[in-house]
Amino acid sequence: MSSKKQQLIYLAAASHSGSTMTAMLLGAHPDLCSVGELKAVNLGAKESYLCSCKTLVSECAFWQGVSEKMAQRGQDFSISAAGMDIRSGATPYILKLLKPLVRAPFMELIRDCLLSLSSTWRKQLPILQKRNADYVSAIADQADARAVVDSSKIGIRLKYLLKNKDLDIKVIWVVRDGRGVSLAYKNPSEYADAKNPMLRGGGAGKTQEQGRGIEVGAHEWVRCNQETEAVLATMDKEKWMQVHYEDICNSTEQTLDRVFEFIGVDPTKKRLDFKTVDHHVVGNGMRLDDSEVIQLDERWKEQLSETDLKCFYDVAGEYHKKLGYTE
């Protein structure tokens, strides 16, 4: 691996905030590559799971090429069992300590001190860091890209990736109206998966995520965004930016120009026909839809009842206002 750090663009967000669409828009730029969530957990049944190129992921030439490049780096790799999650190989003790979302610096110091008491963690973390760095580098080589986009979203992964000496990381914090997010939590099959029912669940025809209540969705939306804030507070301001999903949909070109300037690539090379570009994305079912129409999804306005909205505001009202949204 080159001594030069590999550039990684990390999308931090609550679930169902538009990170898949954002990643694919970024990945359409010739200097960037997006393959979805690099943590790559819970892909489902590998015999039916589809890459966004509509080929079985086990037969996709792109992913076979990544496996070969990982082997060149001394890593045994299969996308169906990527082993990139920070919890890979964790003991129950480690899992318990990694479960809470990222909090204030003092709490994170306590977490790190307790983790350091585990010999398994001390041994496993450097291995996972090298494996993740090799993975990002292999994807960049396979795609002939300058930087790789990781839409894994979660803050605890970002926290430890920021300690990776082989990665140069910039973060894009994607924020969506929490009411839309809560609706997706309520019915992920209808509002957070492929439009074609046969393509849901990565091609299995069934969404893996189970529906949850509005209160749960609202709480998750608040805590996930607060977790992102906690991680960003540890970074230099020039290394991260905030983008609203609504701006991506309503002012796509201007927003992408701003994002590409932040990343350091030529904004004039952006592609709005992002589904036409060759993609090899795993994750959210939206990646399997053929439509390239970028349209603001505000179905929550019709689908959430007054009772649902009151429940959401009771949980997330103040934070909702803080992030720029009104009732």
Side-chain angles (χ1 to χ4, degrees):
M1 188 171 170
S2 169
S3 59
K4 183 179 179 181
K5 291 186 176 184
Q6 172 62 56
Q7 188 174 11
L8 178 69
I9 310 302
Y10 194 92
L11 302 187
S15 292
H16 312 312
S17 294
S19 60
T20 298
M21 180 186 71
T22 303
M24 294 187 79
L25 280 165
L26 298 186
H29 192 288
D31 292 331
L32 304 177
C33 175
S34 171
V35 297
E37 300 185 7
L38 297 195
K39 71 179 189 293
V41 294
N42 300 324
L43 289 191
K46 63 180 180 180
E47 61 272 10
S48 62
Y49 196 88
L50 296 175
C51 175
S52 61
C53 69
K54 303 293 179 67
T55 303
L56 287 173
V57 73
S58 59
E59 299 175 3
C60 173
F62 177 89
W63 286 111
Q64 289 174 351
V66 171
S67 294
E68 291 170 2
K69 288 177 171 55
M70 285 290 280
Q72 293 167 7
R73 291 161 170 78
Q75 301 278 6
D76 184 20
F77 174 82
S78 168
I79 183 56
S80 60
M84 299 296 159
D85 187 35
I86 196 68
R87 296 162 295 189
S88 298
T91 63
Y93 174 80
I94 294 172
L95 287 174
K96 185 175 182 179
L97 288 171
L98 290 177
K99 185 175 181 180
L101 301 184
V102 177
R103 302 180 182 183
F106 179 70
M107 296 301 295
E108 290 308 304
L109 178 62
I110 293 175
R111 186 206 307 260
D112 290 338
C113 288
L114 292 173
L115 283 169
S116 70
L117 297 177
S118 166
S119 59
T120 301
W121 175 255
R122 295 196 303 271
K123 177 182 178 181
Q124 191 70 8
L125 182 58
I127 294 173
L128 282 169
Q129 293 285 34
K130 185 178 187 306
R131 184 169 176 82
N132 272 275
D134 285 344
Y135 186 37
V136 177
S137 175
I139 292 170
D141 285 354
Q142 179 65 24
D144 192 23
R146 171 177 159 186
V148 174
V149 180
D150 181 359
S151 58
S152 291
K153 301 185 292 291
I154 60 174
I156 192 72
R157 172 175 171 80
L158 175 58
K159 171 188 169 173
Y160 289 104
L161 284 180
L162 288 170
K163 302 175 185 291
N164 195 311
K165 61 182 178 59
D166 295 316
L167 296 175
D168 177 19
I169 299 175
K170 287 187 175 181
V171 178
I172 300 171
W173 177 18
V174 182
V175 179
R176 181 187 180 189
D177 190 315
R179 293 165 290 194
V181 172
S182 294
L183 177 61
Y185 268 93
K186 185 177 182 180
N187 189 346
S189 178
E190 186 66 26
Y191 301 108
D193 208 335
K195 293 179 181 178
N196 183 344
M198 297 298 294
L199 295 177
R200 291 175 182 169
K206 182 180 179 181
T207 303
Q208 295 182 53
E209 183 181 352
Q210 299 298 310
R212 287 168 281 180
I214 292 296
E215 182 178 359
V216 173
H219 178 76
E220 289 290 308
W221 178 79
V222 171
R223 280 296 294 121
C224 288
N225 282 300
Q226 287 178 334
E227 178 183 51
T228 296
E229 285 190 285
V231 179
L232 296 180
T234 69
M235 299 178 63
D236 293 335
K237 183 62 180 72
E238 65 269 16
K239 300 289 282 186
W240 67 270
M241 70 179 298
Q242 184 188 82
V243 175
H244 283 263
Y245 158 80
E246 294 78 13
D247 291 336
I248 297 170
C249 295
N250 293 332
S251 305
T252 307
E253 293 196 53
Q254 299 94 318
T255 304
L256 285 178
D257 285 349
R258 191 161 60 93
V259 172
F260 288 138
E261 287 173 1
F262 164 72
I263 293 172
V265 296
D266 186 352
T268 66
K269 294 182 179 180
K270 62 180 173 291
R271 296 278 300 269
L272 299 185
D273 56 339
F274 63 105
K275 289 291 182 71
T276 304
V277 178
D278 189 29
H279 281 290
H280 300 280
V281 177
V282 296
N284 188 291
M286 175 264 176
R287 67 199 167 85
L288 297 173
D289 291 331
D290 293 325
S291 174
E292 293 180 329
V293 176
I294 301 170
Q295 183 176 11
L296 180 64
D297 184 352
E298 290 187 311
R299 286 176 288 178
W300 64 266
K301 291 183 176 180
E302 290 77 38
Q303 298 300 322
L304 293 184
S305 66
E306 289 298 320
T307 301
D308 289 335
L309 289 172
K310 182 180 185 305
C311 181
F312 174 81
Y313 295 134
D314 286 347
V315 174
E318 289 303 315
Y319 194 70
H320 202 235
K321 293 176 184 176
K322 177 183 175 181
L323 291 186
Y325 297 99
T326 60
E327 296 185 15

